[in-house]
Amino acid sequence: MTGIDERLAAVRARIANACREFGRDPAAITLVAVSKTFPAEAIAAVAARGVDNFGENYLQEAMAKIETAERLAKRRLRWHFIGHLQANKATAVASRFDWVHSVDRLRIAQRLSEHRPATLPPLQVLVQVNISGEASKAGCAPEQALGLCRTVAALPGLRLRGLMAIPAPEAADPRRPFRRLRELLERLRHDGLNLDTLSAGMSDDLEAAVAEGATMLRIGTAIFGPRR
Ligand SMILES: *Cc1c(COP(=O)(O)O)cnc(C)c1O
């Protein structure tokens, strides 16, 4: 993969700069390389440069790549399902992934919990919130988050870790949607939920996300290059 060294170095520099600017500890931020549409060879190339976490959106595509990518990388990688999740895909997702960022309704959470193999640790999950209130976007409404999180936290096959969002850009104040997400997480914690993860920030807005407390950045284009 040409340009991979430069792109990954640039992403790491952006994260380091944002951490310095906003007083964040770089060790508290996990980089999830979003590898959708890119082949196993590209994933292995990024893994060879020290990235352990990969995000995929489409189950079939991911299933076809995971084994090859790990064989090429010569180690286990951590897989994050970040796409829209259909109930009939929950069994496969629960058995092959380590994290799911896109839990937005109870039925999906129940399915994931039921189908998480007992031989594996609990599936790490995030509740996706439609923080910008977009009609076209997945995610539960912010007002529903507390109820959904309480129920999900009690499911035996899952370990609820926090929230995920894909905010709509707000040019006038890029940090605003991320701030709302952080404040929602703080309210949930205040209400007794034990949450430590905020999955927010992509190639174009990672600085705003770091400024507002993101602990997982989902970066695709800035690492792998443009998607076709
Ligand atoms: C594709 C995707 C990303 C990565 O987006 P980039 O802009 O390429 O960094 C992050 N999160 C989700 C949910 C995605 O679908």
PDB file of all heavy atoms in Angstrom, residues 109-144:
ATOM      1  N   ALA A 109     -29.618  -5.856  20.945  1.00  0.00           N
ATOM      2  CA  ALA A 109     -28.785  -6.151  22.111  1.00  0.00           C
ATOM      3  C   ALA A 109     -29.102  -7.537  22.666  1.00  0.00           C
ATOM      4  O   ALA A 109     -28.208  -8.311  23.012  1.00  0.00           O
ATOM      5  CB  ALA A 109     -28.997  -5.083  23.181  1.00  0.00           C
ATOM      6  N   GLN A 110     -30.394  -7.865  22.728  1.00  0.00           N
ATOM      7  CA  GLN A 110     -30.791  -9.185  23.237  1.00  0.00           C
ATOM      8  C   GLN A 110     -30.253 -10.301  22.358  1.00  0.00           C
ATOM      9  O   GLN A 110     -29.732 -11.304  22.852  1.00  0.00           O
ATOM     10  CB  GLN A 110     -32.321  -9.275  23.310  1.00  0.00           C
ATOM     11  CG  GLN A 110     -32.888  -8.481  24.470  1.00  0.00           C
ATOM     12  CD  GLN A 110     -34.404  -8.314  24.361  1.00  0.00           C
ATOM     13  OE1 GLN A 110     -34.954  -8.258  23.265  1.00  0.00           O
ATOM     14  NE2 GLN A 110     -35.069  -8.203  25.507  1.00  0.00           N
ATOM     15  N   ARG A 111     -30.355 -10.117  21.050  1.00  0.00           N
ATOM     16  CA  ARG A 111     -29.835 -11.114  20.116  1.00  0.00           C
ATOM     17  C   ARG A 111     -28.319 -11.298  20.277  1.00  0.00           C
ATOM     18  O   ARG A 111     -27.824 -12.412  20.284  1.00  0.00           O
ATOM     19  CB  ARG A 111     -30.111 -10.683  18.671  1.00  0.00           C
ATOM     20  CG  ARG A 111     -31.537 -10.798  18.282  1.00  0.00           C
ATOM     21  CD  ARG A 111     -31.723 -12.091  17.519  1.00  0.00           C
ATOM     22  NE  ARG A 111     -33.014 -12.106  16.884  1.00  0.00           N
ATOM     23  CZ  ARG A 111     -33.238 -12.596  15.670  1.00  0.00           C
ATOM     24  NH1 ARG A 111     -32.246 -13.090  14.970  1.00  0.00           N
ATOM     25  NH2 ARG A 111     -34.436 -12.591  15.181  1.00  0.00           N
ATOM     26  N   LEU A 112     -27.604 -10.182  20.371  1.00  0.00           N
ATOM     27  CA  LEU A 112     -26.149 -10.260  20.525  1.00  0.00           C
ATOM     28  C   LEU A 112     -25.802 -10.995  21.812  1.00  0.00           C
ATOM     29  O   LEU A 112     -24.901 -11.832  21.841  1.00  0.00           O
ATOM     30  CB  LEU A 112     -25.534  -8.856  20.537  1.00  0.00           C
ATOM     31  CG  LEU A 112     -25.544  -8.076  19.224  1.00  0.00           C
ATOM     32  CD1 LEU A 112     -25.103  -6.630  19.469  1.00  0.00           C
ATOM     33  CD2 LEU A 112     -24.644  -8.727  18.170  1.00  0.00           C
ATOM     34  N   SER A 113     -26.523 -10.683  22.874  1.00  0.00           N
ATOM     35  CA  SER A 113     -26.255 -11.320  24.161  1.00  0.00           C
ATOM     36  C   SER A 113     -26.525 -12.821  24.098  1.00  0.00           C
ATOM     37  O   SER A 113     -25.701 -13.629  24.540  1.00  0.00           O
ATOM     38  CB  SER A 113     -27.115 -10.665  25.246  1.00  0.00           C
ATOM     39  OG  SER A 113     -26.941 -11.317  26.490  1.00  0.00           O
ATOM     40  N   GLU A 114     -27.677 -13.191  23.531  1.00  0.00           N
ATOM     41  CA  GLU A 114     -28.039 -14.613  23.421  1.00  0.00           C
ATOM     42  C   GLU A 114     -27.017 -15.408  22.632  1.00  0.00           C
ATOM     43  O   GLU A 114     -26.760 -16.571  22.928  1.00  0.00           O
ATOM     44  CB  GLU A 114     -29.364 -14.749  22.660  1.00  0.00           C
ATOM     45  CG  GLU A 114     -30.612 -14.764  23.491  1.00  0.00           C
ATOM     46  CD  GLU A 114     -31.829 -14.571  22.578  1.00  0.00           C
ATOM     47  OE1 GLU A 114     -31.870 -15.208  21.504  1.00  0.00           O
ATOM     48  OE2 GLU A 114     -32.694 -13.759  22.947  1.00  0.00           O
ATOM     49  N   HIS A 115     -26.472 -14.789  21.596  1.00  0.00           N
ATOM     50  CA  HIS A 115     -25.626 -15.523  20.665  1.00  0.00           C
ATOM     51  C   HIS A 115     -24.135 -15.345  20.921  1.00  0.00           C
ATOM     52  O   HIS A 115     -23.324 -15.879  20.172  1.00  0.00           O
ATOM     53  CB  HIS A 115     -25.972 -15.141  19.229  1.00  0.00           C
ATOM     54  CG  HIS A 115     -27.352 -15.588  18.838  1.00  0.00           C
ATOM     55  ND1 HIS A 115     -27.659 -16.901  18.603  1.00  0.00           N
ATOM     56  CD2 HIS A 115     -28.507 -14.898  18.705  1.00  0.00           C
ATOM     57  CE1 HIS A 115     -28.951 -16.997  18.313  1.00  0.00           C
ATOM     58  NE2 HIS A 115     -29.486 -15.798  18.384  1.00  0.00           N
ATOM     59  N   ARG A 116     -23.777 -14.608  21.965  1.00  0.00           N
ATOM     60  CA  ARG A 116     -22.359 -14.498  22.281  1.00  0.00           C
ATOM     61  C   ARG A 116     -21.892 -15.848  22.818  1.00  0.00           C
ATOM     62  O   ARG A 116     -22.405 -16.335  23.829  1.00  0.00           O
ATOM     63  CB  ARG A 116     -22.136 -13.413  23.339  1.00  0.00           C
ATOM     64  CG  ARG A 116     -20.675 -13.226  23.735  1.00  0.00           C
ATOM     65  CD  ARG A 116     -19.846 -12.697  22.591  1.00  0.00           C
ATOM     66  NE  ARG A 116     -18.493 -12.295  23.013  1.00  0.00           N
ATOM     67  CZ  ARG A 116     -17.561 -11.899  22.155  1.00  0.00           C
ATOM     68  NH1 ARG A 116     -17.804 -11.859  20.853  1.00  0.00           N
ATOM     69  NH2 ARG A 116     -16.370 -11.542  22.595  1.00  0.00           N
ATOM     70  N   PRO A 117     -20.902 -16.486  22.158  1.00  0.00           N
ATOM     71  CA  PRO A 117     -20.471 -17.812  22.618  1.00  0.00           C
ATOM     72  C   PRO A 117     -19.951 -17.762  24.057  1.00  0.00           C
ATOM     73  O   PRO A 117     -19.224 -16.833  24.429  1.00  0.00           O
ATOM     74  CB  PRO A 117     -19.343 -18.170  21.641  1.00  0.00           C
ATOM     75  CG  PRO A 117     -19.600 -17.334  20.424  1.00  0.00           C
ATOM     76  CD  PRO A 117     -20.208 -16.066  20.937  1.00  0.00           C
ATOM     77  N   ALA A 118     -20.318 -18.761  24.836  1.00  0.00           N
ATOM     78  CA  ALA A 118     -19.928 -18.795  26.250  1.00  0.00           C
ATOM     79  C   ALA A 118     -18.419 -18.928  26.413  1.00  0.00           C
ATOM     80  O   ALA A 118     -17.878 -18.608  27.477  1.00  0.00           O
ATOM     81  CB  ALA A 118     -20.641 -19.954  26.952  1.00  0.00           C
ATOM     82  N   THR A 119     -17.740 -19.391  25.366  1.00  0.00           N
ATOM     83  CA  THR A 119     -16.281 -19.558  25.436  1.00  0.00           C
ATOM     84  C   THR A 119     -15.548 -18.228  25.307  1.00  0.00           C
ATOM     85  O   THR A 119     -14.348 -18.161  25.554  1.00  0.00           O
ATOM     86  CB  THR A 119     -15.817 -20.468  24.284  1.00  0.00           C
ATOM     87  OG1 THR A 119     -16.390 -19.969  23.065  1.00  0.00           O
ATOM     88  CG2 THR A 119     -16.259 -21.899  24.505  1.00  0.00           C
ATOM     89  N   LEU A 120     -16.251 -17.192  24.899  1.00  0.00           N
ATOM     90  CA  LEU A 120     -15.610 -15.884  24.701  1.00  0.00           C
ATOM     91  C   LEU A 120     -15.979 -14.951  25.845  1.00  0.00           C
ATOM     92  O   LEU A 120     -17.015 -15.103  26.472  1.00  0.00           O
ATOM     93  CB  LEU A 120     -16.069 -15.266  23.377  1.00  0.00           C
ATOM     94  CG  LEU A 120     -15.682 -16.013  22.098  1.00  0.00           C
ATOM     95  CD1 LEU A 120     -16.286 -15.332  20.872  1.00  0.00           C
ATOM     96  CD2 LEU A 120     -14.175 -16.134  21.968  1.00  0.00           C
ATOM     97  N   PRO A 121     -15.128 -13.937  26.093  1.00  0.00           N
ATOM     98  CA  PRO A 121     -15.520 -12.920  27.074  1.00  0.00           C
ATOM     99  C   PRO A 121     -16.748 -12.174  26.565  1.00  0.00           C
ATOM    100  O   PRO A 121     -17.059 -12.234  25.376  1.00  0.00           O
ATOM    101  CB  PRO A 121     -14.299 -11.991  27.143  1.00  0.00           C
ATOM    102  CG  PRO A 121     -13.479 -12.292  25.949  1.00  0.00           C
ATOM    103  CD  PRO A 121     -13.810 -13.680  25.498  1.00  0.00           C
ATOM    104  N   PRO A 122     -17.455 -11.448  27.450  1.00  0.00           N
ATOM    105  CA  PRO A 122     -18.630 -10.699  26.987  1.00  0.00           C
ATOM    106  C   PRO A 122     -18.273  -9.783  25.820  1.00  0.00           C
ATOM    107  O   PRO A 122     -17.158  -9.268  25.749  1.00  0.00           O
ATOM    108  CB  PRO A 122     -19.040  -9.879  28.208  1.00  0.00           C
ATOM    109  CG  PRO A 122     -18.386 -10.519  29.373  1.00  0.00           C
ATOM    110  CD  PRO A 122     -17.181 -11.241  28.879  1.00  0.00           C
ATOM    111  N   LEU A 123     -19.230  -9.611  24.922  1.00  0.00           N
ATOM    112  CA  LEU A 123     -19.060  -8.689  23.802  1.00  0.00           C
ATOM    113  C   LEU A 123     -19.078  -7.255  24.345  1.00  0.00           C
ATOM    114  O   LEU A 123     -19.975  -6.890  25.107  1.00  0.00           O
ATOM    115  CB  LEU A 123     -20.213  -8.919  22.829  1.00  0.00           C
ATOM    116  CG  LEU A 123     -20.231  -8.175  21.497  1.00  0.00           C
ATOM    117  CD1 LEU A 123     -19.027  -8.538  20.638  1.00  0.00           C
ATOM    118  CD2 LEU A 123     -21.528  -8.492  20.759  1.00  0.00           C
ATOM    119  N   GLN A 124     -18.088  -6.454  23.955  1.00  0.00           N
ATOM    120  CA  GLN A 124     -18.018  -5.061  24.397  1.00  0.00           C
ATOM    121  C   GLN A 124     -18.951  -4.246  23.507  1.00  0.00           C
ATOM    122  O   GLN A 124     -18.794  -4.283  22.279  1.00  0.00           O
ATOM    123  CB  GLN A 124     -16.592  -4.531  24.264  1.00  0.00           C
ATOM    124  CG  GLN A 124     -15.517  -5.434  24.878  1.00  0.00           C
ATOM    125  CD  GLN A 124     -15.629  -5.521  26.385  1.00  0.00           C
ATOM    126  OE1 GLN A 124     -15.574  -4.504  27.073  1.00  0.00           O
ATOM    127  NE2 GLN A 124     -15.797  -6.726  26.901  1.00  0.00           N
ATOM    128  N   VAL A 125     -19.900  -3.547  24.081  1.00  0.00           N
ATOM    129  CA  VAL A 125     -20.847  -2.829  23.230  1.00  0.00           C
ATOM    130  C   VAL A 125     -20.975  -1.351  23.601  1.00  0.00           C
ATOM    131  O   VAL A 125     -20.754  -0.943  24.745  1.00  0.00           O
ATOM    132  CB  VAL A 125     -22.257  -3.482  23.220  1.00  0.00           C
ATOM    133  CG1 VAL A 125     -22.192  -4.920  22.721  1.00  0.00           C
ATOM    134  CG2 VAL A 125     -22.929  -3.395  24.574  1.00  0.00           C
ATOM    135  N   LEU A 126     -21.347  -0.575  22.588  1.00  0.00           N
ATOM    136  CA  LEU A 126     -21.653   0.843  22.734  1.00  0.00           C
ATOM    137  C   LEU A 126     -23.064   1.073  22.222  1.00  0.00           C
ATOM    138  O   LEU A 126     -23.476   0.444  21.244  1.00  0.00           O
ATOM    139  CB  LEU A 126     -20.670   1.685  21.912  1.00  0.00           C
ATOM    140  CG  LEU A 126     -19.186   1.467  22.216  1.00  0.00           C
ATOM    141  CD1 LEU A 126     -18.320   2.255  21.226  1.00  0.00           C
ATOM    142  CD2 LEU A 126     -18.861   1.882  23.647  1.00  0.00           C
ATOM    143  N   VAL A 127     -23.777   1.946  22.876  1.00  0.00           N
ATOM    144  CA  VAL A 127     -25.089   2.350  22.375  1.00  0.00           C
ATOM    145  C   VAL A 127     -24.878   3.531  21.428  1.00  0.00           C
ATOM    146  O   VAL A 127     -24.239   4.525  21.789  1.00  0.00           O
ATOM    147  CB  VAL A 127     -26.037   2.704  23.540  1.00  0.00           C
ATOM    148  CG1 VAL A 127     -27.208   3.555  23.055  1.00  0.00           C
ATOM    149  CG2 VAL A 127     -26.550   1.417  24.195  1.00  0.00           C
ATOM    150  N   GLN A 128     -25.390   3.377  20.200  1.00  0.00           N
ATOM    151  CA  GLN A 128     -25.281   4.454  19.218  1.00  0.00           C
ATOM    152  C   GLN A 128     -26.404   5.453  19.420  1.00  0.00           C
ATOM    153  O   GLN A 128     -27.578   5.082  19.506  1.00  0.00           O
ATOM    154  CB  GLN A 128     -25.318   3.895  17.790  1.00  0.00           C
ATOM    155  CG  GLN A 128     -25.146   4.985  16.737  1.00  0.00           C
ATOM    156  CD  GLN A 128     -25.069   4.452  15.320  1.00  0.00           C
ATOM    157  OE1 GLN A 128     -25.011   3.236  15.096  1.00  0.00           O
ATOM    158  NE2 GLN A 128     -25.055   5.349  14.356  1.00  0.00           N
ATOM    159  N   VAL A 129     -26.019   6.726  19.493  1.00  0.00           N
ATOM    160  CA  VAL A 129     -26.984   7.795  19.732  1.00  0.00           C
ATOM    161  C   VAL A 129     -27.063   8.693  18.499  1.00  0.00           C
ATOM    162  O   VAL A 129     -26.036   9.088  17.944  1.00  0.00           O
ATOM    163  CB  VAL A 129     -26.571   8.639  20.964  1.00  0.00           C
ATOM    164  CG1 VAL A 129     -27.597   9.727  21.235  1.00  0.00           C
ATOM    165  CG2 VAL A 129     -26.395   7.758  22.183  1.00  0.00           C
ATOM    166  N   ASN A 130     -28.252   9.007  18.091  1.00  0.00           N
ATOM    167  CA  ASN A 130     -28.481   9.930  16.978  1.00  0.00           C
ATOM    168  C   ASN A 130     -28.399  11.348  17.538  1.00  0.00           C
ATOM    169  O   ASN A 130     -29.411  12.015  17.753  1.00  0.00           O
ATOM    170  CB  ASN A 130     -29.841   9.637  16.356  1.00  0.00           C
ATOM    171  CG  ASN A 130     -30.078  10.406  15.075  1.00  0.00           C
ATOM    172  OD1 ASN A 130     -29.291  11.275  14.690  1.00  0.00           O
ATOM    173  ND2 ASN A 130     -31.167  10.094  14.399  1.00  0.00           N
ATOM    174  N   ILE A 131     -27.157  11.789  17.767  1.00  0.00           N
ATOM    175  CA  ILE A 131     -26.936  13.000  18.557  1.00  0.00           C
ATOM    176  C   ILE A 131     -27.362  14.263  17.810  1.00  0.00           C
ATOM    177  O   ILE A 131     -27.654  15.290  18.417  1.00  0.00           O
ATOM    178  CB  ILE A 131     -25.451  13.077  19.016  1.00  0.00           C
ATOM    179  CG1 ILE A 131     -25.283  13.988  20.230  1.00  0.00           C
ATOM    180  CG2 ILE A 131     -24.517  13.509  17.892  1.00  0.00           C
ATOM    181  CD1 ILE A 131     -25.816  13.448  21.524  1.00  0.00           C
ATOM    182  N   SER A 132     -27.397  14.195  16.474  1.00  0.00           N
ATOM    183  CA  SER A 132     -27.806  15.358  15.692  1.00  0.00           C
ATOM    184  C   SER A 132     -29.275  15.294  15.269  1.00  0.00           C
ATOM    185  O   SER A 132     -29.737  16.159  14.521  1.00  0.00           O
ATOM    186  CB  SER A 132     -26.909  15.517  14.467  1.00  0.00           C
ATOM    187  OG  SER A 132     -25.546  15.633  14.850  1.00  0.00           O
ATOM    188  N   GLY A 133     -29.991  14.254  15.723  1.00  0.00           N
ATOM    189  CA  GLY A 133     -31.413  14.152  15.425  1.00  0.00           C
ATOM    190  C   GLY A 133     -31.735  14.085  13.947  1.00  0.00           C
ATOM    191  O   GLY A 133     -32.728  14.651  13.499  1.00  0.00           O
ATOM    192  N   GLU A 134     -30.913  13.389  13.183  1.00  0.00           N
ATOM    193  CA  GLU A 134     -31.150  13.300  11.745  1.00  0.00           C
ATOM    194  C   GLU A 134     -32.112  12.153  11.445  1.00  0.00           C
ATOM    195  O   GLU A 134     -31.893  11.021  11.870  1.00  0.00           O
ATOM    196  CB  GLU A 134     -29.831  13.047  11.013  1.00  0.00           C
ATOM    197  CG  GLU A 134     -28.842  14.187  11.155  1.00  0.00           C
ATOM    198  CD  GLU A 134     -27.469  13.772  10.657  1.00  0.00           C
ATOM    199  OE1 GLU A 134     -26.767  13.061  11.375  1.00  0.00           O
ATOM    200  OE2 GLU A 134     -27.129  14.145   9.525  1.00  0.00           O
ATOM    201  N   ALA A 135     -33.135  12.457  10.645  1.00  0.00           N
ATOM    202  CA  ALA A 135     -34.157  11.451  10.335  1.00  0.00           C
ATOM    203  C   ALA A 135     -33.538  10.233   9.644  1.00  0.00           C
ATOM    204  O   ALA A 135     -33.986   9.106   9.831  1.00  0.00           O
ATOM    205  CB  ALA A 135     -35.235  12.069   9.462  1.00  0.00           C
ATOM    206  N   SER A 136     -32.497  10.454   8.863  1.00  0.00           N
ATOM    207  CA  SER A 136     -31.926   9.375   8.043  1.00  0.00           C
ATOM    208  C   SER A 136     -30.921   8.529   8.812  1.00  0.00           C
ATOM    209  O   SER A 136     -30.460   7.512   8.310  1.00  0.00           O
ATOM    210  CB  SER A 136     -31.224   9.996   6.846  1.00  0.00           C
ATOM    211  OG  SER A 136     -30.165  10.826   7.293  1.00  0.00           O
ATOM    212  N   LYS A 137     -30.530   8.939  10.014  1.00  0.00           N
ATOM    213  CA  LYS A 137     -29.430   8.279  10.696  1.00  0.00           C
ATOM    214  C   LYS A 137     -29.889   7.236  11.703  1.00  0.00           C
ATOM    215  O   LYS A 137     -30.937   7.372  12.319  1.00  0.00           O
ATOM    216  CB  LYS A 137     -28.569   9.315  11.442  1.00  0.00           C
ATOM    217  CG  LYS A 137     -27.647  10.116  10.532  1.00  0.00           C
ATOM    218  CD  LYS A 137     -26.282   9.462  10.363  1.00  0.00           C
ATOM    219  CE  LYS A 137     -25.385  10.237   9.394  1.00  0.00           C
ATOM    220  NZ  LYS A 137     -24.900  11.490   9.989  1.00  0.00           N
ATOM    221  N   ALA A 138     -29.055   6.220  11.868  1.00  0.00           N
ATOM    222  CA  ALA A 138     -29.304   5.215  12.893  1.00  0.00           C
ATOM    223  C   ALA A 138     -29.009   5.818  14.271  1.00  0.00           C
ATOM    224  O   ALA A 138     -28.522   6.934  14.383  1.00  0.00           O
ATOM    225  CB  ALA A 138     -28.422   4.002  12.648  1.00  0.00           C
ATOM    226  N   GLY A 139     -29.311   5.051  15.311  1.00  0.00           N
ATOM    227  CA  GLY A 139     -29.028   5.513  16.651  1.00  0.00           C
ATOM    228  C   GLY A 139     -30.308   5.805  17.403  1.00  0.00           C
ATOM    229  O   GLY A 139     -31.313   6.191  16.819  1.00  0.00           O
ATOM    230  N   CYS A 140     -30.270   5.609  18.711  1.00  0.00           N
ATOM    231  CA  CYS A 140     -31.447   5.921  19.514  1.00  0.00           C
ATOM    232  C   CYS A 140     -31.477   7.418  19.787  1.00  0.00           C
ATOM    233  O   CYS A 140     -30.452   8.099  19.698  1.00  0.00           O
ATOM    234  CB  CYS A 140     -31.440   5.119  20.813  1.00  0.00           C
ATOM    235  SG  CYS A 140     -30.266   5.682  22.046  1.00  0.00           S
ATOM    236  N   ALA A 141     -32.644   7.944  20.103  1.00  0.00           N
ATOM    237  CA  ALA A 141     -32.740   9.354  20.477  1.00  0.00           C
ATOM    238  C   ALA A 141     -32.038   9.547  21.824  1.00  0.00           C
ATOM    239  O   ALA A 141     -32.056   8.649  22.666  1.00  0.00           O
ATOM    240  CB  ALA A 141     -34.203   9.756  20.588  1.00  0.00           C
ATOM    241  N   PRO A 142     -31.407  10.711  22.031  1.00  0.00           N
ATOM    242  CA  PRO A 142     -30.718  10.941  23.308  1.00  0.00           C
ATOM    243  C   PRO A 142     -31.617  10.684  24.516  1.00  0.00           C
ATOM    244  O   PRO A 142     -31.151  10.165  25.537  1.00  0.00           O
ATOM    245  CB  PRO A 142     -30.298  12.413  23.218  1.00  0.00           C
ATOM    246  CG  PRO A 142     -30.179  12.689  21.754  1.00  0.00           C
ATOM    247  CD  PRO A 142     -31.214  11.833  21.078  1.00  0.00           C
ATOM    248  N   GLU A 143     -32.914  11.001  24.395  1.00  0.00           N
ATOM    249  CA  GLU A 143     -33.844  10.797  25.527  1.00  0.00           C
ATOM    250  C   GLU A 143     -34.043   9.316  25.836  1.00  0.00           C
ATOM    251  O   GLU A 143     -34.463   8.967  26.942  1.00  0.00           O
ATOM    252  CB  GLU A 143     -35.213  11.417  25.238  1.00  0.00           C
ATOM    253  CG  GLU A 143     -35.191  12.856  24.780  1.00  0.00           C
ATOM    254  CD  GLU A 143     -34.827  12.984  23.305  1.00  0.00           C
ATOM    255  OE1 GLU A 143     -35.522  12.400  22.460  1.00  0.00           O
ATOM    256  OE2 GLU A 143     -33.804  13.647  23.020  1.00  0.00           O
ATOM    257  N   GLN A 144     -33.793   8.460  24.853  1.00  0.00           N
ATOM    258  CA  GLN A 144     -33.992   7.022  25.074  1.00  0.00           C
ATOM    259  C   GLN A 144     -32.733   6.345  25.612  1.00  0.00           C
ATOM    260  O   GLN A 144     -32.777   5.173  25.992  1.00  0.00           O
ATOM    261  CB  GLN A 144     -34.344   6.326  23.751  1.00  0.00           C
ATOM    262  CG  GLN A 144     -35.633   6.805  23.116  1.00  0.00           C
ATOM    263  CD  GLN A 144     -35.810   6.203  21.721  1.00  0.00           C
ATOM    264  OE1 GLN A 144     -34.841   5.894  21.029  1.00  0.00           O
ATOM    265  NE2 GLN A 144     -37.055   6.008  21.331  1.00  0.00           N
TER     266      GLN A 144
END
